[in-house]
Amino acid sequence: MALAETQLYAKVANKYRSKSTSALLESLLAKGFPAHIAQKALVATGQKTIEDAAKWLHSHCNDPSLEDPIPQEYALYLCPTGRLLNRLQEFWKESKRQCGKNRAHEVFPHVTLCDFFTCEDQKVELLYDTLKRVGDRFSQCFPPSISLTLHASPSYLGFFIDDIHASVLKDFALAFSSEASALADCHVKPCLKQFHLTLAHKFYPHHQKTLEQLAKSINPEEPCQWVAALYSRDMRFVHYQRLRVLFQYKPQNIDELMINAGDFIYVDPTHQSDVSEGWVVGTSHRTGCRGFLPENYTEKAHESDTWVKHREYVFVTASRSSTQTERESNGKLNGEAHSPSMSRSGTSVLSTQNTLLHRAVLVMRHGERVDQVFGKSWLQQCLTADGKYYRADLNLPSALPKRKDSMKQFEYDPPLSCCGIFQSRLIGEALLDQEVMVSYVYSSPALRCVQTAQHVLQGLQLNQKVKIRVEPGLFEWTKWEASKVIPNFMTVAELAEASYNVDTTYRGNFPLSSLVPSESYEDYLSRSSVVMKHIITACPSKGKGVILIVGHGSSLASFTWPLMGLPSRDSSDFAQMVRKIPSLGMCFCEELKEQNKWQMVNPPVRTLTHGANAAFNWRNAIVED
């Protein structure tokens, strides 16, 4: 056992543990869980619902630390909501784009009232009671607005809170600290230094001027409601790195870790020196299990992504009171109840769709293709002796569209699988639910892309209103074509005959004959930039709504980088990034016409995650050994 962990165990080994009789705990006890394990599950999920706690227990059934007596660490933050939060999030995003990530990006916008302290699991509800009681006491004297003054230094940028308002916050923090310490038998230390809301911290000095200019665009007097929120974290992993899993990985060896897309992994950087290149050893936040996993299945996550939000107290003041609708919208402020990291996300597209008065571009990868599931020889599996197609698996299309040249061309221009069709229609339905208005649709000439566009439009109920413009210039980097030649795509006439809703009058900006096999990386990026400019020019700037572009994994970067004026990465980094883009992965850019630029924001719908489903033969699996 590591020395640090031994010290943590010694701190808590002899603490007296009383029993809680909360309704949530009683329900778990009735299911047969031991009291200390049930309390640990409730605390780990913010004591919200029985379902959350039971799911946590199920996930942690093989957690070697399940019996550990180490409690969580808690902190009390004052968090902004409303328009001020929106402006701060815009700064977060733009500062990261222009200057790169700094220490402030690890946590959502906040003012620290009480720094992290430990509290035994069975006494956490006393913290909730304390927050409610102290909040009620201070609600009458809480300032209707908090004065913020911008302060900058070579390594720090943020807002300082004026003394007259800071004194009220310090009194609130002191009162919470005193009562929580007495009731919950924990040492709570209030923050009594200069109260501040950090904008940037530990950045390169040469970025100071740029960051200051961005910060000056924030109006600190924007309407805002303040919320005191209680968060917790696992104290064992405070100094670990955090990774977010992008793809599911099933262990091939006993020392490897089972991971699902969306999981968070704790990684101790001091334990990676003996690990094989391309692998890391980490502990799963979801299961508590430890093992090896492929590094390219992950991306770096933020510190607060693994925190748990417990309770909050909303300070409602007379001059800042808002409508119920506005409060509900802002209530998601610093994170939804289940995910504090939501507070750091960029400007939410979902909240602005109904008022979207400018152009936006949604670049999307196609859905699941048949060779992705059945391999390059999928067509051979589906041909009868006389060369006719038949459906060898339910995930294969029931029929193939007619084309004048050989059916063998489908090997190089494969269609969507049935799951890919379902995925595409599901995305369209989700866009419809969010009231996303698609005005134009462009597709790569690859059949899988045309099919994706078709079924997205069906989900949007626009398949009879918006036609698909087949643009050859949207095809992927030709160097990645296994056949080393440009595929023989179905013609627009053939697509129309097969009932695809294509625009037969559209003439591409980049003729099919201009596609060069095995083109260089620079040529591909140049082609992408030219085609993107043509598309933007062809779609009126006075029009509002979304331009949907259905392409390939490479399209998400190659078509958005020139739009936002971002420099390209080198080809090896580009290839590594594209490998991580799943079926129907998407990027969303909106135009800031007044500033004559585009910015990337959250896509209007969430990602679609699903697991693998292996082929099954009942005879081999059930009857025969």
Side-chain angles (χ1 to χ4, degrees), residues 392-406:
D393 186 283
L394 285 180
N395 197 24
L396 288 162
S398 57
L400 294 176
K402 291 182 180 180
R403 53 187 304 162
K404 294 177 182 178
D405 52 18
S406 168

Side-chain angles (χ1 to χ4, degrees), residues 232-299:
S232 74
R233 68 183 183 188
D234 193 322
M235 63 191 298
R236 296 173 299 166
F237 304 113
V238 169
H239 301 296
Y240 282 49
Q241 294 175 347
R242 289 159 183 79
L243 302 177
R244 179 187 286 103
V245 176
L246 299 171
F247 311 106
Q248 183 187 60
Y249 178 76
K250 293 183 178 180
Q252 307 297 312
N253 298 290
I254 195 170
D255 58 353
E256 294 175 3
L257 190 63
M258 172 68 188
I259 55 175
N260 293 329
D263 284 357
F264 291 102
I265 307 296
Y266 298 109
V267 173
D268 184 349
T270 64
H271 289 173
Q272 305 304 313
S273 56
D274 297 329
V275 179
S276 301
E277 184 177 357
W279 291 78
V280 294
V281 59
T283 302
S284 169
H285 173 73
R286 179 176 60 85
T287 66
C289 297
R290 190 170 186 266
F292 293 92
L293 64 148
E295 187 175 16
N296 64 347
Y297 277 50
T298 66
E299 65 179 2

